[in-house]
Amino acid sequence: MPRIVRFHRTGGPEVLCLEEAPPEQPREGEVLIRNQAIGLNNSEAQLRRGDYPMLTADLPSRIGRECAGIVEAIGPSVTTVKPNDLVSTIPAFDVKRNGVYGEWCVVPEVGVARVPMRLSRLEAAAVWQQYLTAYGPLVLNSRLEPSMTVLITAAASSVGLGAIQVAKLFGTRVIATTRTASKEAIIRSAGADDVIITSHQPLVASVNHLTDGRGFDLGLDPIAGPGIADLIDCAAPEAAIHLYGQLAGEPSFFPLRAMLRKGLTVRGYTLWEITLNPARREAAKQYIFNHLDSGKLRPIIDRVFPLESVVEAHRYLESGRQAGKIVIEVAGNVS
Ligand SMILES: NC(=O)c1ccc[n+]([C@@H]2O[C@H](COP(=O)([O-])OP(=O)(O)OC[C@H]3O[C@@H](n4cnc5c(N)ncnc54)[C@H](OP(=O)(O)O)[C@@H]3O)[C@@H](O)[C@H]2O)c1
């Protein structure tokens, strides 16, 4: 009997249960996928714990939004994929019914994307969350030029590494931050020009030193909390800062005087701005597909776990030791 992952209460990684469940038949506009690999995201640990700011789990709940696999069946009116196609999922659906952790998932057709030939099955499960998150601030909402400096914080996260690659498509200078010195090499391998190790290098002085006092032009930050004051302090006049997470887990204060003086744009951002808007979603999918296909974007995978070790994989996800994407391989479905 095929297995899926669900949780019946919020809590630590141990609440994730591997349960036998026959595949559901896809309804109108849905696709049934036999999963081969599943990409893990930090927000899934937040959902499982019950502290995800965007969504509260409706229990018992499935979990997960990114996988790659083979189309097993399609529901009425599905036109863009057919049985036996290799596909990956984009985060454009509710996890209660459509969560992907397990050996199968049922997702809406709008949450299915083609897989470029050059990607492995594991890489194909590590595409959409990171690059779609980067796409909004870097492609849709900015006019990046080679003369500009982009600051990417928590740069060893899967989104951070993806964002570095996207920013480098424009030839901009990228300054990246991490708390962990051992992650510098992988951040540079993604294309960062400079890496600030924030555990022992002060952010403001380092950015000012690297930019001759001018500051950065565009910032992507998933940390927030008290560190926002420092970001604003080392932003260039008329810079924009996209806040897309709250890893710090502490309240944020916004020093209005400095924001006014510099004319900054500071805004919240989620990839739902892309995935729930059909025109933006299709443009973003095409843009990312083309750059994956040409080899200019390439997901960075940190570690692979078997499905049976989903609890251990979530423990590792929460440890903060990863640099890049954590992927679960569904060995029984890989031919
Ligand atoms: N708004 C959106 O649409 C959207 C989309 C995707 C992700 N996100 C958010 O983006 C964040 C990253 O997600 P992800 O899946 O890419 O993460 P990830 O791959 O799990 O990476 C997390 C990394 O962030 C760093 N970190 C953790 N806590 C930190 C803290 N308090 N201060 C500074 N750095 C910290 C750690 O690296 P170091 O060793 O460098 O500390 C850690 O390895 C999450 O908050 C997630 O919810 C938002």
Side-chain angles (χ1 to χ4, degrees):
M1 175 75 81
R3 296 162 302 168
I4 58 171
V5 175
R6 294 202 303 172
F7 59 109
H8 296 253
R9 60 187 171 88
T10 53
E14 69 283 353
V15 301
L16 297 176
C17 306
L18 203 48
E19 302 173 348
E20 292 189 342
E24 288 171 17
Q25 283 317 298
R27 299 176 191 158
E28 176 83 23
E30 289 184 333
V31 177
L32 170 64
I33 300 171
R34 189 163 20 101
N35 299 341
Q36 297 187 326
I38 301 156
L40 268 52
N41 290 290
N42 205 284
S43 56
E44 289 146 19
Q46 298 167 34
L47 180 76
R48 192 213 68 225
R49 289 195 303 263
D51 58 20
Y52 183 39
M54 306 304 291
L55 186 70
T56 302
D58 185 7
L59 300 171
S61 182
R62 289 197 68 169
I63 181 169
R65 292 202 174 98
E66 278 198 281
C67 73
I70 304 293
V71 174
E72 184 92 8
I74 57 174
S77 80
V78 170
T79 56
T80 56
V81 292
K82 59 184 186 317
N84 294 322
D85 282 355
L86 173 64
V87 295
S88 58
T89 57
I90 71 166
F93 44 78
D94 172 31
V95 287
K96 164 89 175 164
R97 170 167 168 77
N98 306 123
V100 305
Y101 284 18
E103 291 176 292
W104 60 266
C105 64
V106 171
V107 297
E109 183 180 15
V110 295
V112 175
R114 290 181 300 144
V115 174
M117 290 294 287
R118 66 164 67 230
L119 293 194
S120 70
R121 304 289 203 273
L122 299 178
E123 289 170 328
V127 166
W128 295 105
Q129 178 108 353
Q130 58 172 321
Y131 293 123
L132 286 171
T133 304
Y135 177 90
L138 293 166
V139 184
L140 182 67
N141 299 322
S142 303
R143 289 188 200 286
L144 287 183
E145 292 170 12
S147 61
M148 296 169 82
T149 298
V150 176
L151 178 73
I152 294 174
T153 63
S157 63
S158 59
V159 174
L161 293 171
I164 293 170
Q165 294 179 2
V166 174
K168 291 309 288 184
L169 295 175
F170 295 87
T172 59
R173 178 183 192 177
V174 173
I175 302 177
T177 78
T178 175
R179 299 180 298 188
T180 311
S182 60
K183 296 183 182 178
E184 177 173 351
I186 192 123
I187 294 171
R188 283 194 188 274
S189 78
D193 300 282
D194 304 285
V195 180
I196 301 170
I197 314 295
T198 53
S199 49
H200 59 272
Q201 291 174 304
L203 181 78
V204 177
S206 303
V207 171
N208 283 336
H209 172 71
L210 290 167
T211 59
D212 294 328
R214 182 181 144 70
F216 65 85
D217 301 289
L218 176 65
L220 271 68
D221 178 64
I223 304 170
I228 283 182
D230 281 350
L231 287 181
I232 286 170
D233 212 6
C234 59
E238 299 188 19
I241 303 174
H242 283 66
L243 303 171
Y244 69 93
Q246 50 177 28
L247 285 167
E250 294 177 65
S252 301
F253 299 97
F254 294 84
L256 184 58
R257 196 178 299 175
M259 291 167 63
L260 293 172
R261 192 165 36 81
K262 292 185 179 184
L264 301 184
T265 301
V266 181
R267 58 108 93 197
Y269 167 77
T270 72
L271 81 169
W272 305 113
E273 293 180 30
I274 311 291
T275 57
L276 300 182
N277 177 311
R280 288 181 190 163
R281 183 180 62 236
E282 292 314 308
K285 277 170 73 174
Q286 196 60 54
Y287 180 93
I288 293 164
F289 183 94
N290 290 347
H291 285 100
L292 290 165
D293 206 30
S294 70
K296 288 187 175 153
L297 296 179
R298 188 110 203 190
I300 296 176
I301 293 177
D302 173 90
R303 194 165 155 189
V304 181
F305 289 84
L307 180 60
E308 292 69 27
S309 300
V310 63
V311 169
E312 197 189 325
H314 259 235
R315 281 205 183 99
Y316 184 64
L317 177 68
E318 285 183 310
S319 76
R321 283 182 284 137
Q322 72 275 31
K325 197 77 163 178
I326 302 165
V327 176
I328 287 178
E329 185 170 27
V330 187
N333 285 347
V334 180
S335 47

